[in-house]
Amino acid sequence: MAIKVGMVSLGCAKNQVDGEMLMASLKNAGFELCDDAALADVAIVNTCGFIDSAKQESIDEILELATLKKEGRIKKIVVTGCLAERYREEIHKELPEVDGVFGIGANADIAACIESAMNDFTESFPEKSKMPLCGERELSTPSYFAYIKIAEGCDNKCTYCAIPMIRGGYRSRTMESIEEEARGLVENGAKELILIAQDTTRYGIDLYGEYSLAKLMRRLCKIDGLKWLRVLYCYPDALTDELLETMAEEEKIVKYIDLPLQHASARVLKRMNRTGDRESLTALMKKIREKIPGVTLRTTLITGFPGETEEEFTELAEFVKDIEFERLGCFAYSQEEGTSAALMPDQIDDEVKNHRAEIIMESQMSIMDRLGEKQVGRDITVLTEGFDRYAECWFGRSAMDAPDIDGKVFFSAETKPYYGEMVTVHVDEAIDGDLFGTRV
């Protein structure tokens, strides 16, 4: 009888794609896939190890499954992903309930790893470069949208970030392999494809000797049946004019740029090993908005970086108010071992870091309320995602919203839409960052 495997995948969309490839490998090797890890013989926790809160979520999930293992409901617990790669020795020592710990390089041979873990505790940490860049996937997203990982690893060496240490150097996929995967996803019903990597703007620099994201996106826009093409995790230094022009000209590319800036103070950015200052970043935002009319700008910021003064925090808060980002997330700095920022003097108290993040988010909510009001009275295209039984209405996302990180559009409809259908919604009101309307 086939061994049943189930997965809990945590963290970012990049890790989610890795998990989908793992599950496809196991299915091809004869394992039976189970939607609920709690009902499987082997529960895989595909972990995130990026910041403290994500690490804690991974540990809590392992402990929850350990209770089920103790009760005899599951047989084995296997840990993959970033936490496994980053804390090789510690996981088995601190969590003896775990039966297998496999680094990202072991993803290519996951079936053999799990078969070994069925007999005795097993760990495997091949070179990171052995991790496959692409392959078959068992999609965990609804068929109407999918992520495509265009590169692995990172070379940016931001001082607060453990990703280069965990994932290794930057490796791009070929355009041919990305296009082939994209065509298959669209044939399978995907209306929206979302390009992801640790830094999408550097795509192709290692393979083709130049920034190639714009060329890749133009190529993908030729796929019949594709409605929306979205790109996440852009880096301000590598945002070329060619890319902005491509985004403005190609109808299928949603006018949405996710640009994690992290800060606006020149001194803080320098300590982060990033370039720019408030003046140059303000000019860049102005340039983007001029080149792509109606663009949705999304960013993420860090408060409480070591040595961040009250003046530097105030500069960041004023920058947020001045720019009026359509979408924004702010996180308190997480002191990550193995990074150079963790060893910097002037570490800031957790209470102060968190309070500063709250101030930024409160400011952003009032900005989003104002921007939401501007949408009232307009007709927008919405990708239908489901029906809310409590609100008794449908919901979905507009081009202004990426899955899981942004808001929703709720709408009533006399004609019942199907999941994945693109409908026109007349916006009647905006509440707490979400839009409410009626299907036209």
Side-chain angles (χ1 to χ4, degrees):
M1 202 166 93
I3 298 167
K4 284 200 286 189
V5 291
M7 175 179 283
V8 178
S9 195
L10 303 168
C12 67
K14 300 180 286 289
N15 202 43
Q16 185 177 347
V17 171
D18 295 344
E20 292 171 348
M21 287 168 62
L22 281 180
M23 294 304 271
S25 294
L26 291 169
K27 185 179 181 180
N28 291 338
F31 288 81
E32 184 186 334
L33 304 191
C34 185
D35 288 340
D36 187 348
L39 302 175
D41 299 317
V42 180
I44 302 170
V45 186
N46 191 34
T47 58
C48 178
F50 184 42
I51 56 174
D52 282 342
S53 57
K55 286 185 280 190
Q56 192 56 53
E57 185 185 14
S58 296
I59 291 164
D60 290 345
E61 190 64 50
I62 293 166
L63 292 172
E64 200 173 308
L65 290 166
T67 305
L68 299 181
K69 183 184 169 187
K70 197 173 179 183
E71 292 169 0
R73 290 165 63 185
I74 58 177
K75 292 173 186 170
K76 301 289 178 181
I77 300 170
V78 164
V79 181
T80 61
C82 289
L83 199 74
E85 181 67 39
R86 187 174 181 187
Y87 297 103
R88 304 176 172 196
E89 292 81 19
E90 291 95 325
I91 289 179
H92 186 50
K93 200 184 298 176
E94 301 293 333
L95 299 162
E97 302 90 346
V98 170
D99 302 283
V101 184
F102 306 119
I104 62 169
N107 284 17
D109 203 23
I110 192 65
C113 290
I114 288 181
E115 279 166 5
S116 178
M118 294 302 291
N119 300 318
D120 199 4
F121 174 76
T122 307
E123 56 185 7
S124 178
F125 302 99
E127 286 295 313
K128 297 176 183 29
S129 58
K130 290 193 174 176
M131 179 183 176
L133 287 178
C134 56
E136 280 186 60
R137 291 162 59 188
E138 193 69 24
L139 288 183
S140 55
T141 52
S143 61
Y144 50 79
F145 87 89
Y147 297 102
I148 298 186
K149 191 159 75 161
I150 63 173
E152 176 57 70
C154 190
D155 294 333
N156 289 333
K157 308 267 188 309
C158 300
T159 57
Y160 53 81
C161 183
I163 291 296
M165 180 173 67
I166 299 169
R167 291 276 175 170
Y170 199 82
R171 295 188 293 144
S172 300
R173 289 174 59 183
T174 64
M175 283 197 203
E176 290 76 15
S177 76
I178 296 167
E179 184 184 348
E180 184 184 355
E181 182 177 11
R183 286 188 181 280
L185 290 165
V186 172
E187 281 167 18
N188 194 45
K191 303 277 181 67
E192 177 184 22
L193 295 178
I194 304 167
L195 305 183
I196 54 172
Q198 198 57 39
D199 174 1
T200 48
T201 36
R202 274 182 173 65
Y203 170 74
I205 197 81
D206 53 326
L207 278 186
Y208 308 114
E210 62 178 3
Y211 296 136
S212 306
L213 181 59
K215 289 185 179 66
L216 172 67
M217 293 181 83
R218 283 200 190 272
R219 188 164 171 166
L220 297 180
C221 283
K222 293 183 177 135
I223 297 174
D224 288 339
L226 176 64
K227 300 294 185 187
W228 285 353
L229 182 63
R230 189 184 301 273
V231 60
L232 301 183
Y233 315 123
C234 297
Y235 198 85
D237 292 17
L239 207 65
T240 62
D241 285 348
E242 184 192 11
L243 179 59
L244 294 178
E245 284 155 16
T246 298
M247 294 186 79
E249 291 165 11
E250 291 285 354
E251 283 184 19
K252 291 183 180 181
I253 300 176
V254 295
K255 312 313 176 208
Y256 176 106
I257 296 187
D258 174 50
L259 203 66
L261 299 178
Q262 314 307 2
H263 216 281
S265 157
R267 181 177 162 274
V268 174
L269 287 165
K270 191 174 181 182
R271 285 162 70 89
M272 289 177 166
N273 195 31
R274 296 173 70 98
T275 57
D277 54 25
R278 182 177 173 182
E279 190 179 350
S280 68
L281 292 175
T282 299
L284 178 60
M285 300 308 108
K286 184 170 181 277
K287 177 182 175 180
I288 293 169
R289 283 177 166 152
E290 283 171 358
K291 283 192 173 282
I292 312 174
V295 69
T296 295
L297 278 175
R298 179 177 221 287
T299 195
T300 47
L301 304 170
I302 296 172
T303 54
F305 188 77
E308 181 191 56
T309 63
E310 279 292 342
E311 291 76 17
E312 286 160 348
F313 168 68
T314 301
E315 186 178 8
L316 177 64
E318 287 172 351
F319 173 72
V320 168
K321 284 180 180 172
D322 288 348
I323 300 298
E324 293 199 328
F325 291 96
E326 284 78 9
R327 305 286 182 265
L328 182 147
C330 186
F331 303 90
Y333 166 72
S334 178
Q335 189 176 2
E336 295 299 314
E337 58 266 68
T339 63
S340 52
L343 303 174
M344 288 180 181
D346 306 323
Q347 296 288 332
I348 291 173
D349 184 72
D350 282 351
E351 198 175 328
V352 174
K353 290 191 288 195
N354 290 318
H355 181 57
R356 288 177 179 177
E358 284 166 13
I359 290 170
I360 296 287
M361 287 312 297
E362 280 172 19
S363 170
Q364 179 62 20
M365 280 312 296
S366 61
I367 290 168
M368 284 190 66
D369 285 343
R370 285 201 305 277
L371 295 175
E373 287 297 329
K374 289 183 180 178
Q375 297 296 325
V376 174
R378 294 181 181 176
D379 289 349
I380 59 174
T381 301
V382 175
L383 179 63
T384 307
E385 292 193 308
F387 185 80
D388 188 316
R389 290 178 184 173
Y390 296 102
E392 295 186 333
C393 65
W394 297 88
F395 64 87
R397 288 183 293 109
S398 72
M400 299 177 284
D401 303 297
D404 300 325
I405 53 175
D406 296 323
K408 299 278 187 196
V409 180
F410 295 87
F411 61 96
S412 57
E414 284 185 20
T415 314
K416 179 182 174 182
Y418 59 84
Y419 291 176
E421 183 180 358
M422 288 186 152
V423 299
T424 302
V425 172
H426 182 79
V427 181
D428 299 318
E429 58 181 337
I431 304 170
D432 295 336
D434 292 323
L435 300 178
F436 296 77
T438 312
R439 179 177 181 177
V440 175

